[in-house]
Amino acid sequence: MRRVVLKLSGEALASPASDETIDASTVDFLAREIAGAMQRGGLELAVVVGGGNIWRGATGAMAGMNRANSDLMGMLGTVINALALQDAIESHGRATRVMSAISMDQVAEPYIRRRAVRHLEKGRVVIFAAGMGNPYFTTDTPAAQRAAEIEADIVLKGTHGGVDGVYDEDPRVNVKASRFDEISFDEVIARDLRVMDMTAITFCKDNRLPLRIFDLMAPGNLGRALDGHAVGTLVQ
Ligand code: UDP
C-alpha cells in the first residue's frame, strides 16, 4: 500500500474515561499510532476525520432543525477535530496539513486535489476536514470519495467501540455473531450490513476501492493494517 485514506470517527477522539468531547490522551494515542505508522518508507497517509463527538446533522434535523444548517454544524465539528489531530500528530514530529472542504483561510488550507497529492508526496499527513462540504452526507462518503480522487489504494476505516470488523450480526446484540475476514461489497449490500454508510459502500464498489474495517484503538493495529495483515475485515 502506497497511498491510503484512513477514516476515523469523531467519537474515536473522545473517551469513556473522561467526559471531554476531545480527550487529550486518546488523541495523543491516535497521533502516536499515525506518526509511528508514517515511519514506513513511501507511505502516504490522508486522514478523514468525522465530527460525531461534537454534532451530527441528523440529530438536529430530528429535533426540527433545518437539515442543511444542522449538517453545516456537523462539518464545522470535523474541523475542530482535525485541528486537535493536527496538533497531536505534529507533537510527534510529523508534518501535517489540514485541508478543508469549506473555505476558512485563517484555519485551514482549501481542499485542492493537486495540492493534497503534493503534500502527500512530501510525506505530510493530510487531514481532510469538513467532509465534502455538502450537507446530507456523513464523513464515510468523503472518505471514499477523496480516496478515489487522490487515487488511494485502499480506505481504512478505524473503529473505536470494540466492534473490530464486519460481522454477520451485531456483535453487541448477539455474542455469537461471527466476523468475516473478507467479504464482497455485494454481500455487504445484500445483507444490509451497517459497516459504513451505504452511500460510501456503493461508491467504493463502483470505483473498485477496497475497504478494510479494523479496530483502530488496539495498539499497533494501524501499522498491521498498513502492512497488509489480516486485521478486521477486508471488503472488496
Ligand atoms: N457532514 C456533512 N457532509 C459531509 C460530511 C459530514 O454534512 O460531507 C456532517 C453531517 O451532519 C455529519 C457530521 O458532519 O453528521 C459529522 O460527521 P459524521 O457523522 O460522519 O461523524 P462521525 O460519525 O464519523 O464521527
Side-chain angles (χ1 to χ4, degrees):
M1 284 171 220
R2 186 181 59 91
R3 185 171 294 164
V4 174
V5 168
L6 170 67
K7 157 73 210 284
L8 60 97
S9 292
E11 277 166 2
L13 275 55
S15 159
S18 76
D19 59 359
E20 299 292 344
T21 309
I22 297 175
D23 179 73
S25 61
T26 306
V27 177
D28 185 66
F29 164 78
L30 292 169
R32 225 177 319 120
E33 290 287 301
I34 290 170
M38 284 303 292
Q39 281 164 1
R40 283 161 181 72
L43 173 67
E44 298 176 6
L45 185 68
V47 180
V48 171
V49 63
N53 55 327
I54 297 172
W55 187 258
R56 280 207 173 85
T59 311
M62 272 191 291
M65 279 183 76
N66 172 278
R67 175 66 194 253
N69 215 29
S70 185
D71 278 335
L72 271 176
M73 291 168 64
M75 286 186 263
L76 293 178
T78 71
V79 180
I80 295 175
N81 287 337
L83 294 180
L85 208 52
Q86 169 171 53
D87 194 84
I89 296 171
E90 295 208 331
S91 79
H92 287 279
R94 176 61 57 172
T96 65
R97 291 292 185 272
V98 174
M99 304 191 99
S100 172
I102 296 174
S103 327
M104 43 179 91
D105 294 349
Q106 283 76 12
V107 177
E109 290 184 20
Y111 171 72
I112 298 168
R113 183 182 68 84
R114 282 172 180 277
R115 199 187 281 181
V117 168
R118 191 76 193 112
H119 287 320
L120 292 170
E121 286 169 351
K122 287 186 172 173
R124 297 168 182 148
V125 175
V126 175
I127 305 168
F128 291 132
M132 282 196 297
N134 299 315
Y136 295 93
F137 290 97
T138 73
T139 47
D140 281 353
T141 305
Q145 190 275 340
R146 292 287 190 240
E149 211 179 341
I150 63 169
E151 299 178 305
D153 303 307
I154 191 167
V155 176
L156 298 180
K157 170 153 174 161
T159 67
H160 58 93
V163 180
D164 57 354
V166 183
Y167 285 76
D168 55 353
E169 287 177 67
D170 188 340
R172 290 167 300 192
V173 176
N174 182 358
V175 286
K176 290 189 176 149
S178 56
R179 194 184 70 209
F180 297 96
D181 291 333
E182 210 173 315
I183 188 170
S184 68
F185 284 113
D186 285 334
E187 202 170 347
V188 168
I189 294 165
R191 290 177 174 234
D192 196 22
L193 300 172
R194 298 276 155 178
V195 297
M196 215 171 170
D197 278 9
M198 268 311 160
T199 319
I201 292 289
T202 52
F203 185 94
C204 286
K205 174 180 183 271
D206 290 350
N207 292 284
R208 298 175 188 279
L209 200 56
L211 168 69
R212 183 177 288 286
I213 320 266
F214 72 105
D215 180 6
L216 180 62
M217 306 316 276
N221 238 15
L222 174 60
R224 283 190 279 278
L226 288 165
D227 289 337
H229 292 300
V231 286
T233 304
L234 180 66
V235 191
Q236 61 182 351

